[in-house]
Amino acid sequence: MQIVDKLAEMGLGDMGSGTRSKPYWPALSLRAIPEIVARFFASVVALASIAAVALVGVFSFGAYLLTELLAKLRPLRDAYEFLSRAYDRFIERLGQIVLRDPRDTPALRLMVAITLTALPIFVTQLVLGKPRLWLAVAFYLSLYGVKFQRFVRMFSAKHLEAHRPQGYFSDKYDKLFGRYVEFFLGYLYGNVPELDRTVHVRLHHRENGGPDDTVTSTGYDRTRPLDFLWYLSDNIWTALGFAPYAYFNSKGDDKNRRRMLWGMVRYYIFFAAVFIYDWRIGIAFALVPFLVMDFIMAMTAWVQHAFCDAERPEDYFANTVTVYDEVNFMNEGYHLCHHHRSGLHWTEMPAHLERISDKMRESGSLVFRDLDFMELFIELTLLRRMDVLAEKLVTWEPMDHEQKVALLEHRTKPARSVAA
């Protein structure tokens, strides 16, 4: 989304009109910010987000290599498996007590793990005062895990939590732990409150990745890294909450507008407080997680609706990707099924996908096997290897390799032009 151009339509300086006119942008009037400042800020944040992901990635993938080496030592591997099984049994019993639906035990396992690692590390750093590099590294590993797998699981857990009217916890524990992932752990991850419960549910699922979605990628060439960089620079306005706030304001949706504003205020207070306490701790423990969240939120939105039909950019059956991968935590890869029945429990998604398969065939929905969303982003946008994606594409009718490549290339062309 050309967010700066949309801000121009709201009166932010003497900027020209954007390529896509959206009715909700005039709802926000901030005339003090000239175009060059807004564009410069967004571009700097985009580059900083890439740097933050690269930094965290060094530790995350480094830890993965280390764990692979340690796993070759049988005593360590056996000890880990023993402790993991014991932990799983404890979580299963705990889930029966505290969860509204015991099927959500995988999310509880994640919540407990982060609470017992990232939170104590963060508190320890605040108590010690002087920044410690080893604490920052431990903090990143506790948040993101090896190969970013813990972050992937957290992303899925907060996503599905947003669709629970009462959250994960039963009535007895809801007042204390209600929406624990988004409204508590989310601060550690740099996730502004209400981006999930309000923005994802009340905005994204209303627009379904179409032209009026604040995170739509249909106007970009999803095979071009520079287009993604432009998209990433625009995404900061969604990550900060400004774009969703403008959307709800224009719709006259006062309830969700107020929710979004209150979520922004709470996060900004937290962010500022950490920086006031110590700016170095603020950079390591607040800014870096926010930038990583900005990047991964943009990357995920970029690929989850990457293969749109240019003639029907608003058709979510056509523009929503389904992937089958090894992790697929809480069936996150069944993304089209989720858009079709967002309130459906994640354990029921595979069966529901079978029920809508005829509609998927009719709409030309794309399904990939042995692929996750991060791998899809790398192959599609960074490496532009359509041949690899073609091998992983599950087609509804017989197609040779060249036909698959041609289909993918056609479905990733911009539905509407993006300003240079």
Side-chain angles (χ1 to χ4, degrees):
M1 168 177 56
Q2 295 290 333
I3 183 69
V4 177
D5 291 333
K6 302 313 170 190
L7 292 171
E9 295 173 15
M10 292 182 269
L12 300 185
D14 299 323
M15 294 182 283
S17 174
T19 59
R20 289 189 291 275
S21 177
K22 297 183 182 179
Y24 49 88
W25 291 112
L28 189 63
S29 181
L30 300 171
R31 298 179 179 276
I33 307 176
E35 175 187 10
I36 189 170
V37 174
R39 286 192 181 278
F40 178 76
F41 171 76
S43 299
V44 168
V45 172
L47 295 174
S49 295
I50 295 173
V53 168
L55 172 66
V56 171
V58 169
F59 300 124
S60 182
F61 282 90
Y64 169 72
L65 295 177
L66 179 61
T67 56
E68 286 293 294
L69 290 175
L70 294 177
K72 297 181 182 299
L73 302 176
R74 184 168 182 176
L76 289 178
R77 185 176 68 250
D78 291 344
Y80 170 79
E81 291 175 352
F82 173 78
L83 292 174
S84 181
R85 288 192 297 268
Y87 180 59
D88 285 341
R89 289 194 296 270
F90 166 73
I91 293 295
E92 287 286 346
R93 291 195 295 269
L94 183 63
Q96 296 291 331
I97 299 171
V98 303
L99 292 178
R100 190 175 298 274
D101 188 333
R103 292 178 297 177
D104 294 324
T105 297
L108 178 64
R109 190 185 202 278
L110 179 72
M111 286 184 269
V112 173
I114 297 173
T115 302
L116 295 179
T117 54
L119 184 59
I121 293 170
F122 180 68
V123 172
T124 299
Q125 177 61 91
L126 294 179
V127 171
L128 293 177
K130 183 180 178 180
R132 265 74 167 180
L133 177 61
W134 66 272
L135 279 176
V137 173
F139 184 68
Y140 298 150
L141 291 178
S142 65
L143 288 181
Y144 305 105
V146 298
K147 291 180 64 178
F148 284 94
Q149 288 185 5
R150 179 171 285 186
F151 185 90
V152 170
R153 290 175 169 85
M154 185 283 304
F155 201 89
S156 298
K158 77 184 184 72
H159 171 205
L160 294 177
E161 180 189 61
H163 288 278
R164 300 284 195 280
Q166 291 85 29
Y168 286 124
F169 292 93
S170 62
D171 292 336
K172 183 178 179 180
Y173 299 94
D174 182 64
K175 289 184 178 180
L176 182 61
F177 297 110
R179 301 198 177 277
Y180 186 74
V181 182
E182 179 181 4
F183 290 170
F184 184 74
L185 296 178
Y187 286 94
L188 302 179
Y189 279 99
N191 191 74
V192 174
E194 303 294 352
L195 283 182
D196 296 286
R197 179 180 71 165
T198 298
V199 177
H200 177 78
V201 176
R202 305 301 178 187
L203 192 164
H204 179 60
H205 275 269
R206 175 188 291 175
E207 303 297 346
N208 287 308
D212 286 335
D213 199 329
T214 59
V215 293
T216 183
S217 61
T218 58
Y220 302 81
D221 184 340
R222 276 81 69 198
T223 67
R224 294 186 60 204
L226 285 178
D227 271 37
F228 175 74
L229 180 61
W230 187 257
Y231 176 83
L232 177 61
S233 69
D234 287 337
N235 187 71
I236 184 58
W237 307 111
T238 294
L240 288 171
F242 292 126
Y245 176 87
Y247 174 93
F248 292 127
N249 201 41
S250 72
K251 299 291 185 181
D253 189 344
D254 289 337
K255 177 182 177 181
N256 288 315
R257 176 186 60 81
R258 287 193 299 267
R259 274 184 171 181
M260 189 69 252
L261 180 60
W262 178 227
M264 293 161 64
V265 170
R266 283 146 55 196
Y267 181 77
Y268 297 163
I269 290 174
F270 163 80
F271 191 89
V274 178
F275 264 84
I276 291 171
Y277 182 78
D278 189 302
W279 64 270
R280 296 166 298 178
I281 295 177
I283 290 175
F285 288 80
L287 181 59
V288 169
F290 173 79
L291 293 173
V292 173
M293 177 62 74
D294 175 44
F295 180 92
I296 297 183
M297 185 169 66
M299 181 200 73
T300 305
W302 175 262
V303 297
Q304 284 184 334
H305 300 276
F307 299 92
C308 73
D309 186 334
E311 300 300 320
R312 299 172 292 138
E314 73 290 341
D315 183 359
Y316 71 90
F317 260 83
N319 71 28
T320 304
V321 176
T322 297
V323 297
Y324 300 106
D325 68 280
E326 181 179 352
V327 178
N328 206 5
F329 185 70
M330 299 179 82
N331 286 331
E332 182 71 20
Y334 288 84
H335 197 62
L336 173 58
C337 177
H338 173 71
H339 268 268
H340 185 251
R341 286 281 303 278
S342 61
L344 194 67
H345 195 270
W346 61 273
T347 59
E348 301 170 18
M349 289 182 184
H352 185 70
L353 198 71
E354 293 296 324
R355 290 195 291 271
I356 63 173
S357 59
D358 289 342
K359 174 65 174 176
M360 293 174 68
R361 178 193 300 271
E362 177 185 341
S363 300
S365 301
L366 295 193
V367 179
F368 294 92
R369 69 177 187 277
D370 302 326
L371 196 68
D372 60 32
F373 288 120
M374 184 179 296
E375 291 169 337
L376 176 58
F377 172 74
I378 292 172
E379 299 293 354
L380 174 66
T381 303
L382 298 187
L383 302 180
R384 305 178 70 178
R385 299 199 301 185
M386 290 296 189
D387 56 328
V388 173
L389 294 180
E391 291 296 329
K392 297 179 180 292
L393 179 65
V394 180
T395 59
W396 298 103
E397 56 187 27
M399 299 177 69
D400 60 30
H401 186 77
E402 288 71 21
Q403 289 174 318
K404 292 180 181 180
V405 170
L407 172 63
L408 296 175
E409 290 177 346
H410 174 71
R411 295 285 289 275
T412 51
K413 293 184 182 299
R416 293 174 185 164
S417 61
V418 177

